[in-house]
Short mmCIF file of all heavy atoms in Angstrom, two decimals:
data_model
loop_
_atom_site.label_atom_id
_atom_site.label_comp_id
_atom_site.label_asym_id
_atom_site.label_seq_id
_atom_site.Cartn_x
_atom_site.Cartn_y
_atom_site.Cartn_z
N MET S 1 38.22 -60.49 -131.56
CA MET S 1 39.43 -61.19 -131.19
C MET S 1 40.60 -60.50 -131.89
O MET S 1 40.52 -60.17 -133.06
CB MET S 1 39.34 -62.66 -131.60
CG MET S 1 40.61 -63.39 -131.30
SD MET S 1 40.66 -65.09 -131.91
CE MET S 1 39.26 -65.78 -131.13
N ARG S 2 41.68 -60.37 -131.21
CA ARG S 2 42.87 -59.76 -131.80
C ARG S 2 43.80 -60.85 -132.30
O ARG S 2 44.29 -61.66 -131.50
CB ARG S 2 43.57 -58.88 -130.78
CG ARG S 2 42.72 -57.69 -130.40
CD ARG S 2 43.39 -56.88 -129.33
NE ARG S 2 42.47 -55.85 -128.88
CZ ARG S 2 42.66 -54.56 -129.07
NH1 ARG S 2 43.73 -54.13 -129.68
NH2 ARG S 2 41.77 -53.70 -128.64
N THR S 3 44.02 -60.85 -133.59
CA THR S 3 44.87 -61.88 -134.19
C THR S 3 46.15 -61.29 -134.74
O THR S 3 47.03 -62.03 -135.15
CB THR S 3 44.13 -62.60 -135.33
OG1 THR S 3 43.82 -61.64 -136.34
CG2 THR S 3 42.85 -63.26 -134.83
N GLY S 4 46.23 -59.95 -134.80
CA GLY S 4 47.39 -59.32 -135.40
C GLY S 4 47.28 -59.18 -136.91
O GLY S 4 48.18 -58.69 -137.55
N ARG S 5 46.16 -59.61 -137.47
CA ARG S 5 45.94 -59.48 -138.92
C ARG S 5 44.87 -58.43 -139.17
O ARG S 5 43.89 -58.34 -138.45
CB ARG S 5 45.49 -60.81 -139.51
CG ARG S 5 46.58 -61.88 -139.48
CD ARG S 5 46.12 -63.12 -140.20
NE ARG S 5 44.82 -63.56 -139.70
CZ ARG S 5 44.57 -64.78 -139.25
NH1 ARG S 5 45.51 -65.68 -139.25
NH2 ARG S 5 43.37 -65.09 -138.82
N LYS S 6 45.07 -57.68 -140.23
CA LYS S 6 44.10 -56.66 -140.62
C LYS S 6 42.87 -57.35 -141.23
O LYS S 6 43.01 -58.21 -142.09
CB LYS S 6 44.74 -55.73 -141.64
CG LYS S 6 43.87 -54.59 -142.07
CD LYS S 6 44.64 -53.70 -143.03
CE LYS S 6 43.76 -52.58 -143.54
NZ LYS S 6 44.48 -51.72 -144.48
N PRO S 7 41.66 -56.98 -140.78
CA PRO S 7 40.47 -57.62 -141.35
C PRO S 7 40.23 -57.16 -142.79
O PRO S 7 40.54 -56.04 -143.15
CB PRO S 7 39.34 -57.17 -140.44
CG PRO S 7 39.82 -55.90 -139.85
CD PRO S 7 41.32 -56.02 -139.75
N THR S 8 39.67 -58.04 -143.57
CA THR S 8 39.28 -57.69 -144.94
C THR S 8 37.80 -57.32 -144.93
O THR S 8 37.08 -57.69 -144.00
CB THR S 8 39.51 -58.88 -145.90
OG1 THR S 8 38.61 -59.93 -145.52
CG2 THR S 8 40.95 -59.36 -145.86
N PRO S 9 37.32 -56.62 -145.96
CA PRO S 9 35.89 -56.31 -146.01
C PRO S 9 35.01 -57.56 -145.93
O PRO S 9 33.98 -57.56 -145.28
CB PRO S 9 35.72 -55.60 -147.35
CG PRO S 9 37.05 -54.97 -147.60
CD PRO S 9 38.05 -55.96 -147.05
N HIS S 10 35.46 -58.64 -146.55
CA HIS S 10 34.63 -59.85 -146.56
C HIS S 10 34.68 -60.56 -145.21
O HIS S 10 33.69 -61.17 -144.80
CB HIS S 10 35.04 -60.77 -147.70
CG HIS S 10 34.73 -60.17 -149.03
ND1 HIS S 10 33.44 -60.04 -149.50
CD2 HIS S 10 35.51 -59.60 -149.97
CE1 HIS S 10 33.44 -59.44 -150.68
NE2 HIS S 10 34.69 -59.16 -150.98
N SER S 11 35.80 -60.48 -144.48
CA SER S 11 35.83 -61.11 -143.16
C SER S 11 34.95 -60.34 -142.17
O SER S 11 34.33 -60.92 -141.28
CB SER S 11 37.26 -61.22 -142.63
OG SER S 11 37.81 -59.96 -142.33
N ILE S 12 34.87 -59.01 -142.35
CA ILE S 12 33.98 -58.21 -141.51
C ILE S 12 32.53 -58.59 -141.81
O ILE S 12 31.73 -58.79 -140.89
CB ILE S 12 34.20 -56.71 -141.74
CG1 ILE S 12 35.59 -56.31 -141.24
CG2 ILE S 12 33.13 -55.89 -141.05
CD1 ILE S 12 36.01 -54.93 -141.63
N ALA S 13 32.20 -58.72 -143.08
CA ALA S 13 30.83 -59.09 -143.46
C ALA S 13 30.47 -60.48 -142.94
O ALA S 13 29.34 -60.72 -142.53
CB ALA S 13 30.68 -59.04 -144.98
N ALA S 14 31.44 -61.39 -142.92
CA ALA S 14 31.18 -62.75 -142.44
C ALA S 14 30.90 -62.77 -140.94
O ALA S 14 30.25 -63.69 -140.44
CB ALA S 14 32.35 -63.65 -142.77
N SER S 15 31.37 -61.77 -140.20
CA SER S 15 31.17 -61.74 -138.75
C SER S 15 29.83 -61.09 -138.37
O SER S 15 29.50 -61.03 -137.18
CB SER S 15 32.32 -61.01 -138.07
OG SER S 15 32.30 -59.64 -138.40
N ARG S 16 29.07 -60.63 -139.32
CA ARG S 16 27.80 -59.94 -139.04
C ARG S 16 26.81 -60.78 -138.23
O ARG S 16 26.21 -60.26 -137.29
CB ARG S 16 27.13 -59.48 -140.33
CG ARG S 16 27.83 -58.31 -140.96
CD ARG S 16 27.03 -57.77 -142.10
NE ARG S 16 27.10 -58.68 -143.25
CZ ARG S 16 26.68 -58.37 -144.45
NH1 ARG S 16 26.14 -57.21 -144.68
NH2 ARG S 16 26.79 -59.22 -145.43
N PRO S 17 26.59 -62.05 -138.54
CA PRO S 17 25.58 -62.81 -137.78
C PRO S 17 25.87 -62.84 -136.28
O PRO S 17 24.93 -62.76 -135.47
CB PRO S 17 25.65 -64.21 -138.39
CG PRO S 17 26.15 -64.00 -139.77
CD PRO S 17 27.11 -62.84 -139.66
N ALA S 18 27.11 -62.92 -135.88
CA ALA S 18 27.43 -62.95 -134.45
C ALA S 18 27.03 -61.63 -133.78
O ALA S 18 26.51 -61.62 -132.67
CB ALA S 18 28.92 -63.22 -134.26
N PHE S 19 27.27 -60.52 -134.46
CA PHE S 19 26.91 -59.22 -133.89
C PHE S 19 25.40 -58.98 -133.95
O PHE S 19 24.83 -58.38 -133.05
CB PHE S 19 27.66 -58.09 -134.59
CG PHE S 19 29.11 -58.07 -134.25
CD1 PHE S 19 30.05 -58.55 -135.13
CD2 PHE S 19 29.54 -57.58 -133.03
CE1 PHE S 19 31.40 -58.54 -134.81
CE2 PHE S 19 30.88 -57.56 -132.69
CZ PHE S 19 31.81 -58.05 -133.58
N ASP S 20 24.75 -59.48 -135.00
CA ASP S 20 23.29 -59.34 -135.10
C ASP S 20 22.60 -60.04 -133.94
O ASP S 20 21.64 -59.53 -133.37
CB ASP S 20 22.77 -59.90 -136.42
CG ASP S 20 23.08 -58.99 -137.60
OD1 ASP S 20 23.46 -57.82 -137.36
OD2 ASP S 20 22.94 -59.46 -138.74
N SER S 21 23.07 -61.22 -133.59
CA SER S 21 22.43 -61.96 -132.49
C SER S 21 22.68 -61.26 -131.16
O SER S 21 21.83 -61.32 -130.27
CB SER S 21 22.95 -63.40 -132.45
OG SER S 21 24.33 -63.42 -132.13
N GLY S 22 23.81 -60.60 -131.02
CA GLY S 22 24.11 -59.93 -129.76
C GLY S 22 23.46 -58.58 -129.62
O GLY S 22 23.02 -58.19 -128.54
N TYR S 23 23.38 -57.84 -130.72
CA TYR S 23 22.85 -56.47 -130.66
C TYR S 23 21.46 -56.33 -131.25
O TYR S 23 20.73 -55.40 -130.93
CB TYR S 23 23.81 -55.50 -131.37
CG TYR S 23 25.14 -55.40 -130.66
CD1 TYR S 23 26.24 -56.09 -131.13
CD2 TYR S 23 25.27 -54.63 -129.53
CE1 TYR S 23 27.46 -56.01 -130.49
CE2 TYR S 23 26.49 -54.54 -128.87
CZ TYR S 23 27.58 -55.24 -129.36
OH TYR S 23 28.77 -55.15 -128.70
N GLY S 24 21.09 -57.21 -132.17
CA GLY S 24 19.74 -57.24 -132.70
C GLY S 24 19.37 -56.10 -133.64
O GLY S 24 18.25 -56.02 -134.08
N ASP S 25 20.28 -55.23 -133.97
CA ASP S 25 19.94 -54.10 -134.83
C ASP S 25 20.20 -54.37 -136.29
O ASP S 25 19.81 -53.60 -137.15
CB ASP S 25 20.75 -52.86 -134.43
CG ASP S 25 20.30 -52.28 -133.11
OD1 ASP S 25 19.38 -52.84 -132.51
OD2 ASP S 25 20.89 -51.28 -132.69
N GLY S 26 20.88 -55.41 -136.60
CA GLY S 26 21.26 -55.67 -137.98
C GLY S 26 22.55 -54.94 -138.31
O GLY S 26 22.94 -54.00 -137.63
N CYS S 27 23.19 -55.39 -139.32
CA CYS S 27 24.46 -54.79 -139.73
C CYS S 27 24.26 -54.13 -141.10
O CYS S 27 23.67 -54.73 -142.00
CB CYS S 27 25.54 -55.85 -139.81
SG CYS S 27 27.14 -55.21 -140.32
N PHE S 28 24.74 -52.94 -141.23
CA PHE S 28 24.57 -52.21 -142.48
C PHE S 28 25.88 -52.09 -143.26
O PHE S 28 25.99 -51.28 -144.16
CB PHE S 28 23.99 -50.83 -142.19
CG PHE S 28 22.67 -50.90 -141.48
CD1 PHE S 28 22.60 -50.68 -140.13
CD2 PHE S 28 21.53 -51.23 -142.17
CE1 PHE S 28 21.39 -50.76 -139.47
CE2 PHE S 28 20.31 -51.32 -141.52
CZ PHE S 28 20.24 -51.08 -140.17
N TYR S 29 26.85 -52.89 -142.90
CA TYR S 29 28.15 -52.87 -143.58
C TYR S 29 28.01 -53.53 -144.95
O TYR S 29 27.43 -54.60 -145.09
CB TYR S 29 29.19 -53.62 -142.74
CG TYR S 29 30.55 -53.63 -143.37
CD1 TYR S 29 31.35 -52.50 -143.33
CD2 TYR S 29 31.03 -54.75 -144.02
CE1 TYR S 29 32.59 -52.49 -143.92
CE2 TYR S 29 32.28 -54.76 -144.61
CZ TYR S 29 33.05 -53.63 -144.56
OH TYR S 29 34.28 -53.61 -145.15
N ARG S 30 28.56 -52.85 -145.97
CA ARG S 30 28.53 -53.39 -147.33
C ARG S 30 29.96 -53.54 -147.83
O ARG S 30 30.63 -52.54 -148.12
CB ARG S 30 27.76 -52.46 -148.26
CG ARG S 30 26.30 -52.35 -147.91
CD ARG S 30 25.52 -51.52 -148.90
NE ARG S 30 26.37 -50.60 -149.65
CZ ARG S 30 25.97 -49.46 -150.17
NH1 ARG S 30 24.73 -49.09 -150.04
NH2 ARG S 30 26.80 -48.69 -150.84
N PRO S 31 30.47 -54.76 -147.96
CA PRO S 31 31.86 -54.93 -148.37
C PRO S 31 32.14 -54.46 -149.80
O PRO S 31 33.27 -54.14 -150.13
CB PRO S 31 32.11 -56.43 -148.23
CG PRO S 31 30.78 -57.05 -148.24
CD PRO S 31 29.82 -56.03 -147.68
N GLU S 32 31.11 -54.37 -150.62
CA GLU S 32 31.33 -53.95 -152.02
C GLU S 32 31.38 -52.43 -152.17
O GLU S 32 31.70 -51.93 -153.25
CB GLU S 32 30.23 -54.52 -152.92
CG GLU S 32 28.85 -53.93 -152.72
CD GLU S 32 28.07 -54.49 -151.53
OE1 GLU S 32 28.56 -55.41 -150.85
OE2 GLU S 32 26.97 -54.00 -151.28
N PHE S 33 31.09 -51.69 -151.09
CA PHE S 33 31.06 -50.23 -151.18
C PHE S 33 32.45 -49.67 -151.46
O PHE S 33 33.46 -50.11 -150.92
CB PHE S 33 30.56 -49.62 -149.86
CG PHE S 33 30.65 -48.12 -149.84
CD1 PHE S 33 29.73 -47.35 -150.50
CD2 PHE S 33 31.69 -47.49 -149.17
CE1 PHE S 33 29.82 -45.96 -150.50
CE2 PHE S 33 31.79 -46.11 -149.15
CZ PHE S 33 30.85 -45.34 -149.82
N GLY S 34 32.49 -48.67 -152.30
CA GLY S 34 33.71 -47.91 -152.58
C GLY S 34 33.32 -46.46 -152.76
O GLY S 34 32.36 -46.16 -153.47
N PRO S 35 34.00 -45.53 -152.11
CA PRO S 35 33.61 -44.13 -152.25
C PRO S 35 33.81 -43.63 -153.67
O PRO S 35 34.67 -44.12 -154.41
CB PRO S 35 34.52 -43.40 -151.26
CG PRO S 35 35.69 -44.30 -151.08
CD PRO S 35 35.18 -45.70 -151.26
N ALA S 36 33.03 -42.63 -154.02
CA ALA S 36 33.18 -42.00 -155.33
C ALA S 36 34.49 -41.22 -155.38
O ALA S 36 35.04 -40.87 -154.33
CB ALA S 36 32.00 -41.06 -155.58
N PRO S 37 35.02 -40.97 -156.55
CA PRO S 37 36.25 -40.18 -156.64
C PRO S 37 36.09 -38.82 -155.96
O PRO S 37 35.01 -38.23 -155.97
CB PRO S 37 36.47 -40.00 -158.15
CG PRO S 37 35.70 -41.10 -158.78
CD PRO S 37 34.54 -41.38 -157.87
N TYR S 38 37.16 -38.35 -155.36
CA TYR S 38 37.13 -37.09 -154.61
C TYR S 38 36.60 -35.94 -155.46
O TYR S 38 35.79 -35.15 -155.01
CB TYR S 38 38.53 -36.78 -154.09
CG TYR S 38 38.60 -35.52 -153.27
CD1 TYR S 38 38.11 -35.49 -151.98
CD2 TYR S 38 39.16 -34.36 -153.78
CE1 TYR S 38 38.15 -34.34 -151.22
CE2 TYR S 38 39.22 -33.20 -153.04
CZ TYR S 38 38.72 -33.20 -151.74
OH TYR S 38 38.77 -32.06 -151.00
N ALA S 39 37.04 -35.86 -156.70
CA ALA S 39 36.65 -34.76 -157.57
C ALA S 39 35.15 -34.75 -157.85
O ALA S 39 34.59 -33.71 -158.18
CB ALA S 39 37.43 -34.81 -158.88
N SER S 40 34.48 -35.88 -157.71
CA SER S 40 33.04 -35.91 -157.94
C SER S 40 32.25 -35.51 -156.69
O SER S 40 31.05 -35.31 -156.76
CB SER S 40 32.60 -37.31 -158.39
OG SER S 40 32.66 -38.22 -157.31
N ARG S 41 32.92 -35.41 -155.53
CA ARG S 41 32.23 -35.09 -154.28
C ARG S 41 32.47 -33.66 -153.80
O ARG S 41 31.83 -33.23 -152.86
CB ARG S 41 32.69 -36.06 -153.17
CG ARG S 41 32.31 -37.50 -153.47
CD ARG S 41 32.77 -38.43 -152.37
NE ARG S 41 34.20 -38.68 -152.49
CZ ARG S 41 35.06 -38.67 -151.48
NH1 ARG S 41 34.65 -38.42 -150.27
NH2 ARG S 41 36.33 -38.90 -151.68
N VAL S 42 33.38 -32.93 -154.42
CA VAL S 42 33.67 -31.55 -154.01
C VAL S 42 33.64 -30.64 -155.23
O VAL S 42 33.83 -31.09 -156.36
CB VAL S 42 35.05 -31.44 -153.32
CG1 VAL S 42 35.09 -32.23 -152.03
CG2 VAL S 42 36.16 -31.87 -154.24
N LEU S 43 33.42 -29.37 -155.00
CA LEU S 43 33.43 -28.41 -156.09
C LEU S 43 34.87 -28.15 -156.53
O LEU S 43 35.77 -28.11 -155.69
CB LEU S 43 32.79 -27.10 -155.64
CG LEU S 43 31.30 -27.18 -155.31
CD1 LEU S 43 30.81 -25.85 -154.75
CD2 LEU S 43 30.51 -27.56 -156.53
N PRO S 44 35.09 -27.95 -157.81
CA PRO S 44 36.45 -27.67 -158.27
C PRO S 44 36.89 -26.28 -157.81
O PRO S 44 36.05 -25.42 -157.51
CB PRO S 44 36.34 -27.73 -159.80
CG PRO S 44 34.91 -27.49 -160.09
CD PRO S 44 34.14 -28.02 -158.91
N PRO S 45 38.18 -26.04 -157.75
CA PRO S 45 38.67 -24.72 -157.36
C PRO S 45 38.32 -23.68 -158.42
O PRO S 45 38.00 -24.04 -159.56
CB PRO S 45 40.18 -24.91 -157.26
CG PRO S 45 40.48 -26.07 -158.14
CD PRO S 45 39.27 -26.96 -158.07
N PRO S 46 38.40 -22.40 -158.08
CA PRO S 46 38.18 -21.37 -159.09
C PRO S 46 39.13 -21.59 -160.27
O PRO S 46 40.29 -21.88 -160.08
CB PRO S 46 38.50 -20.07 -158.37
CG PRO S 46 38.32 -20.38 -156.93
CD PRO S 46 38.70 -21.83 -156.77
N GLY S 47 38.63 -21.52 -161.45
CA GLY S 47 39.46 -21.76 -162.62
C GLY S 47 39.33 -23.18 -163.13
O GLY S 47 39.95 -23.53 -164.12
N GLY S 48 38.57 -24.00 -162.44
CA GLY S 48 38.37 -25.37 -162.89
C GLY S 48 39.50 -26.29 -162.46
O GLY S 48 40.23 -26.02 -161.53
N LEU S 49 39.60 -27.38 -163.17
CA LEU S 49 40.59 -28.40 -162.82
C LEU S 49 41.87 -28.28 -163.61
O LEU S 49 42.76 -29.11 -163.48
CB LEU S 49 39.97 -29.79 -163.03
CG LEU S 49 38.74 -30.09 -162.17
CD1 LEU S 49 38.15 -31.44 -162.54
CD2 LEU S 49 39.09 -30.05 -160.69
N THR S 50 41.95 -27.27 -164.44
CA THR S 50 43.17 -27.08 -165.22
C THR S 50 44.05 -26.05 -164.53
O THR S 50 43.60 -25.24 -163.74
CB THR S 50 42.84 -26.61 -166.65
OG1 THR S 50 42.13 -25.38 -166.57
CG2 THR S 50 42.00 -27.64 -167.38
N ARG S 51 45.29 -26.07 -164.82
CA ARG S 51 46.25 -25.10 -164.27
C ARG S 51 46.87 -24.33 -165.41
O ARG S 51 47.07 -24.89 -166.48
CB ARG S 51 47.33 -25.81 -163.46
CG ARG S 51 46.79 -26.55 -162.26
CD ARG S 51 46.36 -25.57 -161.22
NE ARG S 51 45.87 -26.26 -160.02
CZ ARG S 51 44.85 -25.85 -159.33
NH1 ARG S 51 44.18 -24.80 -159.69
NH2 ARG S 51 44.47 -26.49 -158.26
N PRO S 52 47.19 -23.10 -165.29
CA PRO S 52 47.04 -22.29 -164.09
C PRO S 52 45.58 -21.92 -163.85
O PRO S 52 44.79 -21.84 -164.79
CB PRO S 52 47.87 -21.05 -164.37
CG PRO S 52 47.88 -20.93 -165.85
CD PRO S 52 47.81 -22.34 -166.38
N ALA S 53 45.24 -21.71 -162.59
CA ALA S 53 43.87 -21.40 -162.23
C ALA S 53 43.47 -19.99 -162.64
O ALA S 53 42.30 -19.68 -162.77
CB ALA S 53 43.66 -21.59 -160.72
N MET S 54 44.46 -19.12 -162.83
CA MET S 54 44.20 -17.74 -163.27
C MET S 54 44.71 -17.54 -164.68
O MET S 54 45.72 -18.11 -165.06
CB MET S 54 44.95 -16.74 -162.39
CG MET S 54 44.36 -16.46 -161.08
SD MET S 54 45.27 -15.06 -160.37
CE MET S 54 44.37 -14.87 -158.87
N THR S 55 44.00 -16.72 -165.40
CA THR S 55 44.51 -16.34 -166.71
C THR S 55 45.60 -15.28 -166.50
O THR S 55 45.74 -14.72 -165.41
CB THR S 55 43.40 -15.74 -167.58
OG1 THR S 55 42.95 -14.52 -166.97
CG2 THR S 55 42.23 -16.71 -167.74
N ALA S 56 46.34 -14.99 -167.54
CA ALA S 56 47.37 -13.96 -167.45
C ALA S 56 46.76 -12.61 -167.11
O ALA S 56 47.32 -11.83 -166.33
CB ALA S 56 48.15 -13.88 -168.76
N ALA S 57 45.57 -12.32 -167.66
CA ALA S 57 44.91 -11.05 -167.38
C ALA S 57 44.48 -10.97 -165.91
O ALA S 57 44.62 -9.93 -165.27
CB ALA S 57 43.70 -10.87 -168.30
N GLN S 58 43.97 -12.07 -165.36
CA GLN S 58 43.58 -12.08 -163.95
C GLN S 58 44.81 -11.88 -163.07
O GLN S 58 44.78 -11.13 -162.09
CB GLN S 58 42.89 -13.40 -163.59
CG GLN S 58 41.51 -13.54 -164.18
CD GLN S 58 40.97 -14.94 -163.97
OE1 GLN S 58 41.69 -15.93 -164.07
NE2 GLN S 58 39.68 -15.01 -163.67
N GLU S 59 45.88 -12.54 -163.39
CA GLU S 59 47.11 -12.41 -162.60
C GLU S 59 47.61 -10.99 -162.64
O GLU S 59 48.03 -10.42 -161.63
CB GLU S 59 48.18 -13.38 -163.12
CG GLU S 59 49.40 -13.48 -162.24
CD GLU S 59 50.43 -12.40 -162.51
OE1 GLU S 59 50.50 -11.92 -163.65
OE2 GLU S 59 51.13 -12.00 -161.56
N HIS S 60 47.55 -10.36 -163.81
CA HIS S 60 48.00 -8.99 -163.95
C HIS S 60 47.16 -8.05 -163.07
O HIS S 60 47.69 -7.15 -162.44
CB HIS S 60 47.93 -8.55 -165.41
CG HIS S 60 48.43 -7.16 -165.64
ND1 HIS S 60 49.77 -6.86 -165.62
CD2 HIS S 60 47.77 -6.00 -165.89
CE1 HIS S 60 49.92 -5.56 -165.83
NE2 HIS S 60 48.72 -5.02 -166.01
N GLY S 61 45.86 -8.28 -163.01
CA GLY S 61 44.98 -7.46 -162.18
C GLY S 61 45.25 -7.63 -160.69
O GLY S 61 45.21 -6.67 -159.92
N TRP S 62 45.52 -8.84 -160.26
CA TRP S 62 45.79 -9.11 -158.85
C TRP S 62 47.19 -8.69 -158.44
O TRP S 62 47.47 -8.46 -157.25
CB TRP S 62 45.62 -10.60 -158.56
CG TRP S 62 44.19 -11.01 -158.42
CD1 TRP S 62 43.36 -11.39 -159.44
CD2 TRP S 62 43.43 -11.07 -157.23
NE1 TRP S 62 42.12 -11.70 -158.94
CE2 TRP S 62 42.13 -11.51 -157.57
CE3 TRP S 62 43.70 -10.79 -155.90
CZ2 TRP S 62 41.12 -11.68 -156.64
CZ3 TRP S 62 42.69 -10.97 -154.97
CH2 TRP S 62 41.42 -11.40 -155.34
N ARG S 63 48.11 -8.59 -159.38
CA ARG S 63 49.50 -8.29 -159.06
C ARG S 63 49.67 -6.95 -158.35
O ARG S 63 50.52 -6.81 -157.49
CB ARG S 63 50.33 -8.27 -160.36
CG ARG S 63 51.81 -8.14 -160.11
CD ARG S 63 52.61 -8.03 -161.38
NE ARG S 63 52.19 -8.99 -162.39
CZ ARG S 63 52.46 -8.87 -163.67
NH1 ARG S 63 53.13 -7.83 -164.12
NH2 ARG S 63 52.06 -9.76 -164.53
N GLY S 64 48.82 -5.99 -158.67
CA GLY S 64 48.96 -4.66 -158.09
C GLY S 64 48.37 -4.50 -156.70
O GLY S 64 48.52 -3.44 -156.08
N ILE S 65 47.73 -5.49 -156.17
CA ILE S 65 47.11 -5.40 -154.83
C ILE S 65 48.15 -5.73 -153.79
O ILE S 65 48.73 -6.82 -153.78
CB ILE S 65 45.89 -6.31 -154.72
CG1 ILE S 65 44.85 -5.96 -155.78
CG2 ILE S 65 45.29 -6.24 -153.32
CD1 ILE S 65 43.68 -6.92 -155.87
N GLU S 66 48.39 -4.82 -152.88
CA GLU S 66 49.39 -4.99 -151.83
C GLU S 66 49.01 -6.16 -150.92
O GLU S 66 47.86 -6.28 -150.48
CB GLU S 66 49.49 -3.71 -150.99
CG GLU S 66 50.56 -3.75 -149.93
CD GLU S 66 51.98 -3.85 -150.50
OE1 GLU S 66 52.23 -3.28 -151.59
OE2 GLU S 66 52.81 -4.50 -149.87
N GLY S 67 49.97 -7.02 -150.65
CA GLY S 67 49.76 -8.15 -149.76
C GLY S 67 49.14 -9.37 -150.40
O GLY S 67 48.88 -10.36 -149.72
N VAL S 68 48.89 -9.34 -151.70
CA VAL S 68 48.30 -10.49 -152.39
C VAL S 68 49.34 -11.06 -153.34
O VAL S 68 50.03 -10.33 -154.05
CB VAL S 68 47.05 -10.05 -153.20
CG1 VAL S 68 46.52 -11.21 -154.04
CG2 VAL S 68 45.97 -9.54 -152.26
N GLY S 69 49.45 -12.39 -153.34
CA GLY S 69 50.35 -13.05 -154.28
C GLY S 69 51.55 -13.65 -153.60
O GLY S 69 51.67 -13.70 -152.38
N ILE S 70 52.49 -14.08 -154.42
CA ILE S 70 53.71 -14.72 -153.95
C ILE S 70 54.86 -13.75 -154.19
O ILE S 70 55.05 -13.26 -155.30
CB ILE S 70 53.95 -16.04 -154.70
CG1 ILE S 70 52.79 -16.99 -154.45
CG2 ILE S 70 55.27 -16.67 -154.26
CD1 ILE S 70 52.82 -18.24 -155.29
N ALA S 71 55.59 -13.48 -153.14
CA ALA S 71 56.71 -12.55 -153.25
C ALA S 71 57.81 -13.15 -154.15
O ALA S 71 58.08 -14.35 -154.08
CB ALA S 71 57.28 -12.23 -151.88
N PRO S 72 58.43 -12.31 -154.99
CA PRO S 72 59.48 -12.83 -155.88
C PRO S 72 60.74 -13.19 -155.10
O PRO S 72 61.00 -12.80 -154.04
CB PRO S 72 59.74 -11.69 -156.84
CG PRO S 72 59.08 -10.48 -156.27
CD PRO S 72 58.12 -10.94 -155.24
#
């Protein structure tokens, strides 16, 4: 039903029995679920999570390569 209100996780969970009786598959929605922090689900960038990602020596080595880097 469209009421113009955004459903809450608990209101979705409360509606499960109506859908279970109609579809019979059961509902796997968990209102308490919360995704893990992004940084725990992906690999960190080269250089880790600290900035700058390159050391001064690495930057110096890359500086001489044509077409690499940020133009001054």
Side-chain angles (χ1 to χ4, degrees):
M1 177 186 302
R2 294 177 187 247
T3 62
R5 292 186 308 234
K6 183 177 177 180
T8 66
H10 293 289
S11 69
I12 294 170
S15 68
R16 288 188 287 192
F19 289 102
D20 285 346
S21 65
Y23 295 100
D25 289 1
C27 179
F28 301 102
Y29 181 76
R30 295 185 337 207
E32 69 280 357
F33 174 78
Y38 182 74
S40 72
R41 296 180 283 135
V42 297
L43 295 174
L49 299 175
T50 59
R51 297 288 182 219
M54 282 189 178
T55 64
Q58 289 171 321
E59 189 276 331
H60 182 74
W62 281 87
R63 187 184 316 161
I65 302 173
E66 184 65 33
V68 174
I70 300 172

